Amino acid sequence: MTSISMPKQSRASRKQTVSQHTEAPQSGGSSVTNEQQPKLPYLLCAGLFFGPLTWMGPVGAGRNILTPQIFSNLDPAGKVAAVALMSSFVSLAGLIANFVFGALSDVTRTRWGKRKPYIVGGLIVQALMFVVIANVTSIGAIIAGWVVVAVAENAIAAAMVAQQSDRIAPRWRGTASMCWGVGWTCCQIITIIASQFLGNPRAGMYLLAGISLVLGLVHVLLMNEQSNLDEPRVRFDAGSLLSHFFLPVHGARDYYLALGGKLLMVVGGTCVSLYQLYIFTDYIHLSVDATKIAVATMTSISMFTGIVFGVIAGPLADKFGRLKAPVAISVIFIGIAAIFPFIWPQAWAMYAFGVITGVANGVYNSIDGALNLAVLPNKDTAGKDLGIINFANTLSQIIGTAIAGGIITLFGTYRAVFPASFVISLLGACLFFCIRKVK
């Protein structure tokens, strides 16, 4: 599907081709200007809302809720090590896949557009692997299955994230980012559903496969990506290979600060979220039935607050043109939230954690996408560059798992992960504050 050569064109011909293409905002091609998109693209925003629900929701619920329960059933003594090993392999696979598929989608030319083939293919593989994981009884096989899912989900994620650069004008990116962020927050609905299947994780995995496919179809239909065969093909010489398949070099200072800030923010959250099931059962000492209620309650709280503040934050960012400060401050509050369960090992403290992180994540998720687009060094390599930023969602799991797992093993308690989350989150906020060219 990727193109390896481009017929020679005159400069005037190339300009005409680009001009004709940019006059069609609904095509699968280049970025849209404010003049070309005077009204908010409601269908595209709706499609972006469903985006995270197709991969992040099912994968997060399956990997963080149902799979730890499967490990607990198979090997109670080795469940913590199994989760850590799974997360490490999954994150490494995702790290590579996000970069590769983001770069490939940038240079792909098909009758279905540049992003859709990777989204549809990834969704099919992801759903099939949910069924496979539900039916194997070896911890090694389960981990291998999740590695394949990581490749598929990151193909989906890299392509979906780049759609904002392809299809949304700068004037609407705060609102569009809000729709993506609210969809991300609503993924917790799927977590609530999955938590009700702790007694039957196999059935839960089947349900997640169905949710992924159905919502994926909705996303694809709403985005309605068209052919991009008319888009100029990329000639693969030394310059284009460097641009499309390597890290950005020129004008990328703020880009790397945003990347580092996101990385630390997600690491700080991962220290707690990765082990939330065991925090309730082994740190707060709740029963399985009580844990079902606790997980659902905390998730509902953080989801509700996240949606409310997410809906508010995105349009306000468009109105006032402020992205950096809200993102940085929200990361600070994610760290502050960890203080409550650290001091009070009780269910209500985790609920307080859920309220604060819900508000903070709602603001962060609604604006972070617009901030990432604002610091891109080159819009023509948006898929690759946004894929690198999205590394934070995968690389952070390796780092967060290593930190949290090491702390739990060293101190023999889950309590020590909370101050680690606090410190890491503050460091992430500092990097966001250092960004210069975005207010």
Side-chain angles (χ1 to χ4, degrees):
M1 288 187 293
T2 56
S3 301
I4 58 175
S5 64
M6 181 177 73
K8 292 184 178 180
Q9 294 176 298
S10 68
R11 180 177 301 177
S13 176
R14 287 195 298 269
K15 286 183 177 180
Q16 182 179 7
T17 300
V18 173
S19 175
Q20 290 172 346
H21 184 74
T22 55
E23 290 175 0
Q26 293 303 311
S27 76
S30 61
S31 299
V32 183
T33 65
N34 289 336
E35 292 73 20
Q36 292 169 326
Q37 202 171 66
K39 295 182 179 180
L40 179 67
Y42 292 102
L43 289 181
L44 297 184
C45 288
L48 291 173
F49 165 78
F50 283 103
L53 293 165
T54 68
W55 60 275
M56 182 59 195
V59 170
R63 197 155 55 209
N64 297 334
I65 298 296
L66 295 181
T67 300
Q69 183 61 39
I70 294 173
F71 287 157
S72 185
N73 294 339
L74 293 175
D75 184 10
K79 62 185 181 182
V80 172
V83 169
L85 187 63
M86 174 187 69
S87 183
S88 297
F89 278 112
V90 161
S91 299
L92 182 60
L95 183 70
I96 298 170
N98 209 311
F99 177 86
V100 170
F101 286 108
L104 287 175
S105 70
D106 283 334
V107 298
T108 294
R109 308 289 183 263
T110 75
R111 58 181 295 187
W112 303 283
K114 62 170 69 173
R115 316 295 182 188
K116 188 190 297 183
Y118 300 98
I119 294 172
V120 173
L123 286 169
I124 293 172
V125 172
Q126 177 180 282
L128 289 174
M129 291 311 303
F130 282 159
V131 175
V132 172
I133 292 168
N135 287 280
V136 296
T137 57
S138 163
I139 288 179
I142 293 171
I143 292 174
W146 278 114
V147 169
V148 177
V149 172
V151 174
E153 70 162 307
N154 279 280
I156 301 166
M160 282 188 177
V161 169
Q163 288 176 321
Q164 296 184 54
S165 176
D166 296 340
R167 313 290 296 280
I168 306 296
R171 71 190 302 170
W172 305 120
R173 284 179 177 172
T175 301
S177 180
M178 175 271 291
C179 292
W180 176 270
V182 171
W184 190 283
T185 302
C186 286
C187 287
Q188 295 177 79
I189 295 175
I190 301 177
T191 299
I192 295 173
I193 295 172
S195 69
Q196 305 311 302
F197 287 86
L198 290 174
N200 188 1
R202 176 184 291 180
M205 293 295 291
Y206 290 160
L207 180 61
L208 293 178
I211 290 173
S212 174
L213 288 176
V214 171
L215 296 183
L217 178 62
V218 173
H219 169 84
V220 169
L221 291 175
L222 287 171
M223 296 306 293
N224 191 29
E225 185 178 6
Q226 303 298 310
S227 170
N228 71 328
L229 289 174
D230 62 333
E231 197 174 339
R233 298 184 178 186
V234 176
R235 182 191 300 276
F236 282 94
D237 53 23
S240 65
L241 285 174
L242 183 65
S243 174
H244 286 279
F245 291 95
F246 289 89
L247 297 175
V249 177
H250 302 292
R253 175 189 179 276
D254 287 348
Y255 170 81
Y256 285 114
L257 286 172
L259 170 63
K262 186 179 183 71
L263 174 67
L264 292 176
M265 175 268 181
V266 180
V267 168
T270 299
C271 287
V272 179
S273 64
L274 186 64
Y275 292 105
Q276 66 170 307
L277 180 66
Y278 300 156
I279 287 172
F280 278 116
T281 58
D282 298 353
Y283 176 59
I284 301 177
H285 303 296
L286 298 182
S287 66
V288 173
D289 289 337
T291 297
K292 290 182 183 179
I293 298 173
V295 170
T297 301
M298 185 179 119
T299 303
S300 299
I301 290 171
S302 59
M303 179 184 65
F304 175 76
T305 54
I307 291 173
V308 170
F309 282 85
V311 169
I312 294 171
L316 286 179
D318 280 338
K319 181 176 181 179
F320 295 105
R322 294 293 187 270
L323 300 174
K324 177 176 68 174
V327 166
I329 293 171
S330 66
V331 175
I332 293 174
F333 276 91
I334 290 173
I336 291 173
I339 295 174
F340 287 85
F342 171 70
I343 298 176
W344 299 282
Q346 299 175 34
W348 73 263
M350 284 297 288
Y351 298 156
F353 175 88
V355 171
I356 299 172
T357 56
V359 173
N361 280 314
V363 174
Y364 178 90
N365 291 333
S366 292
I367 303 177
D368 176 61
L371 177 64
N372 292 338
L373 292 173
V375 298
L376 284 180
N378 182 358
K379 68 180 179 65
D380 293 330
T381 58
K384 182 260 294 182
D385 294 336
L386 288 171
I388 294 172
I389 288 183
N390 219 31
F391 281 176
N393 292 323
T394 50
L395 178 61
S396 61
Q397 294 184 33
I398 299 176
I399 300 173
T401 298
I403 292 174
I407 288 174
I408 293 169
T409 302
L410 179 63
F411 293 97
T413 176
Y414 292 90
R415 188 176 192 178
V417 300
F418 299 112
S421 175
F422 174 77
V423 172
I424 293 170
S425 297
L426 291 187
L427 291 175
C430 290
L431 292 184
F432 281 119
F433 275 123
C434 290
I435 292 174
R436 290 176 182 170
K437 69 178 182 181
V438 182
K439 295 182 179 179

